[in-house]
Amino acid sequence: MKTVNEVSKLTGVSIRTLQYYDQIGLLKPAEYTESGYRLYDDAALEKLQQILLFKELEFPLKDIKEIINRSDFDKTKALEQQIGLLELKKEHIENLLNLCKYLKSRGVRRLDFTAFDSSKLDEYSKKAKEQWGQTPEYKEFSEKSKNWTKEYESGLMADFSRIFEEFGPMISKDPASAEVQAQVRKIQDFITENMYKCTDEILYGLGKMYAGGGEFTENIDKMGGKGTAEFVYQAIKIYCGK
């Protein structure tokens, strides 16, 4: 575990920024000490790395939060894009460096502005953003949620939370039982009706995320009691035939 001060020194991200990421739910610490100090584990540091790489692609923080919390988030795809962007940045810097060296060594005017052209970088970032926004589920959710008011969204999330609360009294039951499996179906139906088509594959990915630690696990355990997130995941695995 690392303290917020240690993470700041390691990554170059200010303590104030890390605190802000926690406040907006972008990067939650692995745990808090009794005194309220933030502690970060390797999983949290990996997530911070992903956040910083997406910032290099100039994504807004709210979009980064949505992307990295998706059940179908593809880390390999993200890294490939970020490698491509960094290679373009390297080329851009080398062009500027070569121009500066030329001007210094020759001491003559050279009216060449091609080294300042950042259009390839801009186009790459644009295409990367378009790719992350092109999944059918993302489009469907964007369409359904575009007219939501804050009050409606809060009510919807409260309804969704109740489904997890109802799992709490079931923890002692067999996750394969008809009652528990019917509760899993409620999750799938709710997401499909209100957000996007929730296939079994997407549901399974969500289940892994629910039990994967961090904010999701913590919140679900608050709704249904300690162990609820893991129980839901086990029930989803059975529901999805995994």
Side-chain angles (χ1 to χ4, degrees), residues 1-2 10 30 39-49:
M1 290 285 190
K2 287 182 170 56
L10 176 68
L39 296 175
Y40 297 82
D41 59 8
D42 288 346
L45 290 176
E46 181 184 359
K47 192 170 185 179
L48 176 59
Q49 189 177 60

Side-chain angles (χ1 to χ4, degrees), residues 19 26-27 37 42 48 61 68 86 97 99 116 122 139 146 156 159 167 170 191 204 211 213 233 236:
Q19 291 171 340
L26 178 61
L27 179 69
Y37 292 105
D42 288 346
L48 176 59
L61 293 181
I68 63 177
L86 291 173
L97 184 60
L99 174 62
F116 298 97
D122 297 339
K139 287 181 179 179
K146 65 182 182 181
L156 198 65
D159 290 342
F167 271 105
M170 301 181 187
I191 294 172
Y204 177 62
Y233 171 51
I236 287 175

Side-chain angles (χ1 to χ4, degrees), residues 21 23 37-38 54 56 76 86 92 99 102 115 117 121 134 142 144 179 186 202 215:
Y21 286 175
Q23 290 169 7
Y37 292 105
R38 297 169 175 83
F54 272 109
E56 287 293 324
T76 302
L86 291 173
H92 183 62
L99 174 62
Y102 178 89
D117 183 7
L121 277 169
Q134 289 304 310
S142 296
K144 284 185 175 181
E179 181 184 4
K186 283 187 180 181
I202 289 175
E215 185 179 5

Side-chain angles (χ1 to χ4, degrees), residues 139-154:
K139 287 181 179 179
E140 184 179 356
F141 178 74
S142 296
E143 182 62 28
K144 284 185 175 181
S145 62
K146 65 182 182 181
N147 294 320
W148 286 2
T149 63
K150 288 185 178 180
E151 292 75 14
Y152 179 82
E153 184 176 357
S154 296

Side-chain angles (χ1 to χ4, degrees), residues 20-34:
Y20 178 65
Y21 286 175
D22 182 7
Q23 290 169 7
I24 64 174
L26 178 61
L27 179 69
K28 305 293 286 186
E31 60 183 72
Y32 300 87
T33 66
E34 291 183 1

Side-chain angles (χ1 to χ4, degrees), residues 88 91-92 95-96 113-122:
L88 285 174
E91 179 186 336
H92 183 62
N95 289 338
L96 289 171
F113 293 91
T114 56
F116 298 97
D117 183 7
S118 62
S119 59
K120 285 200 292 185
L121 277 169
D122 297 339

Side-chain angles (χ1 to χ4, degrees), residues 188-202:
Q188 188 176 44
D189 288 347
F190 186 93
I191 294 172
T192 296
E193 182 180 348
N194 296 287
M195 301 174 189
Y196 51 80
K197 183 177 172 61
C198 184
T199 64
D200 285 358
E201 197 60 36
I202 289 175

